[in-house]
Amino acid sequence: MIHINLNGGFLRDGNVCSCGEISPEAGRENTIAYQILRSHSISPDPAQMQIHFDALISQDLTYVGIIQTARSSGMKRFPIPYAMTNCHNSLCAVGGTINEDDHVFGLTAAHKYGGIYVPENLAVMHTYVREEMVKCGNMILGSDSHSRYGALGTMGFGEGGPELVKQLLERTYDIPAPEVVLCYLTGKPPRGVGPLDIALSIIGATFKNGVVKNKIIEFAGPGMKNLSADFRCNIDTMMVESSCLSSIWETDEVTENYYGIHGRSAYFKPLKASGTAYYDTIITVDLNKAQSMIAMPFHPSNVYTIHEFQEHAEEIFDSVQKEADELFGIGALSFKDKVKNHRPYADQGSVAGCAGGLYENLMEMAAILEGKSLGNNGFNVTAYPSSMPVNLALTRAGAVETLLSSGVIMKPCICGSCSGYGDIPATHTFSIRHATRNFPNREGSRPDEGQYCAVALMDARSIAATAANQGVITAATDLDYQIPDLKYCFDGTVYKKRVYYGYGKADTLFCESVGRTDFPGGSMSDIVHSIKDKLMVLQDDTKVYTGHGEGTSIGYERVHNPYIGA
């Protein structure tokens, strides 16, 4: 299915060739990756990148520290759009009021510095970016490793909080000029094969040998036309686990349709390699040969086909057992009861996060589970839609009813089980998940307290097939099911009602003054109308706690603020 050419090569007119009429150095500049990187870098040295991003994204696990650090370092306002989502520690049982305190901090910071605030349970951060923030040719930096939006023509990078602080202080993201790897897609995935199956196959072929480590993966090839936008986004998110630096895809009619569905047609533009482009490594993926896959504990690269796992389950479990003994101590975690009558079983399934909870994944799950039952022997499945618009579409399509009727438990629009914020398995159990990672105790267990369990990664379709078989590991390719109509209608009404869009609107009212309007998107007329229409209708004794400087009141400003009468 996968062939890797470490000697590199060229892409010309959509075709791979071993030689070109230009040097590799010149050809690398013609890749999509370098077209975007160079347009965002201010470095005079071509061997180095000093990048200014177009937007930032964080979740409630990180934005508090980022903003506090930037504020203490002199930040007065957000210089670029910065969205704060609440999908990580929301509803996590950490005790006390800390979760809601973080959320209040985020909203007030959005008011003060001009940010975008997405309330809890509304969207997983990366899905929100795909729906509301992507622009072809742009770059977005997120404080989460899975900040990848390349399938939609937006280059995403995931880094720690300090890099976002630097962007808020209008400094640069500094990296050596990276190598670029071409992932050339051909063919069409068979029925039952999902995006995680493709992603795990690529990860299995590249991670352990470091083929793409700290490099940009660029996707192209005739097989792209056979992949939906949802399918591409899922593969793209998972490329983090290959250890690549970032990724980008050619944009086409599928991409353009996605932007149109989401009301963002103005932000679409064609992206493709220019002239003859050079790639340091070329990975060819024959989608025709794809199979249902499973990534065994304790890494997404520990991959087998499900058919191979079924045939050699005891042997494969033994190899995982040896690793578990090294990690936790001999006998702390056992898989001996996971094979019954030569068939491997799972105790739990979950589909969640920016990889699992997508519309098409859950629609096909529902199609597989139509009229089926999870049974009453302990195997259970949960599903976390990745955003409220996705949840609405699933509800309107009848998929939620089908999933609930089969015994699947529908959960909120948060990361959930993907990052251990829900559905933590019982001790000594084996969970299968369409999620991003299956590292030790990623699922939320506490080995230091004697809690040991294990997670394998599988595509939502095969999880549904396993659920229909009441816990017996089953490949979706072995089932005869009707793929439903996957046409998606995005309804962003809930965002308009609940999301605070504050970029360019920071620091509205001060004592005897108003906020600055000389930033992009700023308008004196807009800020004055906002004050008159939204603030001056309040009672005179209403106190105003301004972004900085002394506080004031509505009554005092009504009399003394020279801008109110403007």
Side-chain angles (χ1 to χ4, degrees):
M1 175 188 172
I2 296 177
H3 177 264
I4 300 175
N5 176 7
L6 296 174
N7 296 319
F10 294 84
L11 184 70
R12 184 171 56 238
D13 298 326
N15 298 308
V16 174
C17 49
S18 59
C19 58
E21 67 277 6
I22 59 176
S23 68
E25 292 74 21
R28 193 179 292 115
E29 298 293 332
N30 291 335
T31 62
I32 302 171
Y34 265 68
Q35 292 175 49
I36 295 175
L37 288 168
R38 293 296 188 204
S39 69
H40 288 79
S41 176
I42 62 171
S43 173
D45 181 358
Q48 299 293 321
M49 299 282 183
Q50 295 176 289
I51 295 168
H52 286 292
F53 286 87
D54 298 294
L56 306 174
I57 179 75
S58 289
Q59 18 71 349
D60 42 357
L61 198 64
T62 58
Y63 63 62
V64 174
I66 290 168
I67 294 169
Q68 288 178 330
T69 304
R71 179 173 61 186
S72 66
S73 302
M75 180 196 70
K76 300 300 182 185
R77 60 195 53 78
F78 297 154
I80 55 178
Y82 183 18
M84 292 164 281
T85 63
N86 295 278
C87 55
H88 258 52
N89 71 23
S90 305
L91 308 184
C92 178
V94 297
T97 64
I98 186 171
N99 285 330
E100 287 306 316
D101 292 343
D102 283 355
H103 301 159
V104 171
F105 177 93
L107 179 57
T108 55
H111 288 161
K112 182 173 182 177
Y113 299 114
I116 302 166
Y117 180 81
V118 185
E120 61 272 21
N121 303 315
L122 212 57
V124 174
M125 62 184 292
H126 306 307
T127 299
Y128 179 79
V129 173
R130 296 171 192 151
E131 294 171 335
E132 294 281 287
M133 296 180 71
V134 291
K135 297 181 182 180
C136 288
N138 272 17
M139 296 184 69
I140 295 178
L141 179 65
S143 56
D144 182 270
S145 55
H146 293 98
S147 302
R148 298 297 171 85
Y149 320 109
L152 301 173
T154 302
M155 192 175 285
F157 284 72
E159 288 286 356
E163 289 295 346
L164 277 79
V165 172
K166 288 170 62 181
Q167 293 292 310
L168 291 174
L169 298 174
E170 301 185 72
R171 298 178 185 176
T172 57
Y173 175 65
D174 306 322
I175 57 172
E179 292 186 1
V180 185
V181 175
L182 176 64
C183 190
Y184 192 75
L185 305 175
T186 65
K188 180 180 180 179
R191 183 186 61 184
V193 167
L196 190 58
D197 297 316
I198 307 299
L200 292 177
S201 298
I202 297 173
I203 294 164
T206 60
F207 175 79
K208 292 178 182 177
N209 54 21
V211 170
V212 298
K213 187 175 182 179
N214 292 329
K215 302 174 185 179
I216 308 293
I217 300 180
E218 188 164 308
F219 287 83
M224 277 187 54
K225 68 177 183 294
N226 298 316
L227 304 181
S228 67
D230 249 23
F231 207 109
R232 298 176 188 183
C233 286
N234 195 161
I235 295 173
D236 192 61
T237 294
M238 288 301 300
M239 288 304 97
V240 173
E241 308 312 323
S242 72
S243 75
C244 71
L245 180 64
S246 187
S247 51
I248 192 69
W249 296 54
E250 280 189 1
T251 59
D252 56 11
E253 294 85 355
V254 173
T255 325
E256 185 174 16
N257 183 58
Y258 181 95
Y259 274 81
I261 288 171
H262 290 80
R264 300 179 63 78
S265 294
Y267 301 120
F268 169 81
K269 68 178 180 181
L271 297 177
K272 64 183 300 183
S274 174
T276 301
Y278 176 77
Y279 299 89
D280 299 275
T281 301
I282 297 179
I283 302 170
T284 303
V285 180
D286 184 353
L287 300 172
N288 291 321
K289 297 180 179 178
Q291 299 186 57
S292 297
M293 306 295 290
I294 182 169
M296 295 297 287
F298 295 92
H299 194 275
S301 65
N302 193 14
V303 296
Y304 302 87
T305 68
I306 290 181
H307 289 158
E308 182 182 7
F309 176 55
Q310 290 169 328
E311 186 175 351
H312 303 285
E314 292 180 343
E315 178 184 341
I316 292 171
F317 269 131
D318 282 345
S319 68
V320 177
Q321 180 72 62
K322 291 178 182 178
E323 187 173 357
D325 289 346
E326 293 178 3
L327 286 168
F328 308 125
I330 295 176
L333 180 61
S334 175
F335 298 97
K336 293 186 181 299
D337 65 336
K338 306 309 175 192
V339 181
K340 304 171 185 177
N341 298 320
H342 305 291
R343 299 194 300 176
Y345 280 76
D347 301 293
Q348 180 202 58
S350 187
V351 178
C354 58
L358 306 187
Y359 180 75
E360 291 181 7
N361 290 338
L362 297 176
M363 284 291 291
E364 286 206 46
M365 274 191 75
I368 292 170
L369 287 169
E370 178 77 46
K372 305 291 195 308
S373 169
L374 273 61
N376 58 7
N377 289 322
F379 181 78
N380 63 83
V381 177
T382 57
Y384 294 76
S386 61
S387 74
M388 195 58 75
V390 168
N391 205 359
L392 281 170
L394 291 167
T395 302
R396 291 165 179 167
V400 170
E401 179 181 357
T402 299
L403 290 169
L404 289 172
S405 297
S406 71
V408 174
I409 303 301
M410 299 299 294
K411 293 295 190 84
C413 304
I414 59 175
C415 298
S417 62
C418 180
S419 45
Y421 300 132
D423 302 303
I424 301 171
T427 300
H428 301 304
T429 56
F430 180 54
S431 177
I432 53 174
R433 301 186 173 191
H434 189 146
T436 56
R437 287 177 171 161
N438 59 338
F439 302 164
N441 70 291
R442 162 85 173 184
E443 75 296 317
S445 63
R446 296 179 178 177
D448 58 326
E449 297 181 10
Q451 301 172 7
Y452 306 101
C453 53
V455 169
L457 302 182
M458 286 170 51
D459 190 84
R461 293 151 188 80
S462 290
I463 291 176
T466 299
N469 213 3
Q470 299 187 1
V472 179
I473 302 293
T474 305
T477 51
D478 292 340
L479 296 189
D480 183 15
Y481 72 98
Q482 184 68 40
I483 296 177
D485 181 2
L486 298 177
K487 183 179 180 180
Y488 177 60
C489 296
F490 174 76
D491 182 350
T493 304
V494 65
Y495 289 152
K496 292 181 174 61
K497 291 178 177 178
R498 297 284 290 123
V499 174
Y500 175 77
Y501 298 97
Y503 177 61
K505 303 176 184 177
D507 293 343
T508 302
L509 180 64
F510 290 110
C511 182
E512 300 185 14
S513 187
V514 297
R516 290 177 62 179
T517 60
D518 57 337
F519 289 95
S523 165
M524 179 58 73
S525 175
D526 286 351
I527 202 169
V528 169
H529 280 298
S530 176
I531 292 171
K532 288 182 176 179
D533 296 344
K534 296 183 179 181
L535 297 180
M536 289 301 116
V537 296
L538 302 174
Q539 297 294 321
D540 283 351
D541 60 355
T542 301
K543 294 181 179 180
V544 178
Y545 299 94
T546 59
H548 46 84
E550 62 181 302
T552 184
S553 69
I554 293 297
Y556 182 86
E557 296 307 310
R558 202 188 307 278
V559 174
H560 298 286
N561 195 312
Y563 294 92
I564 302 305

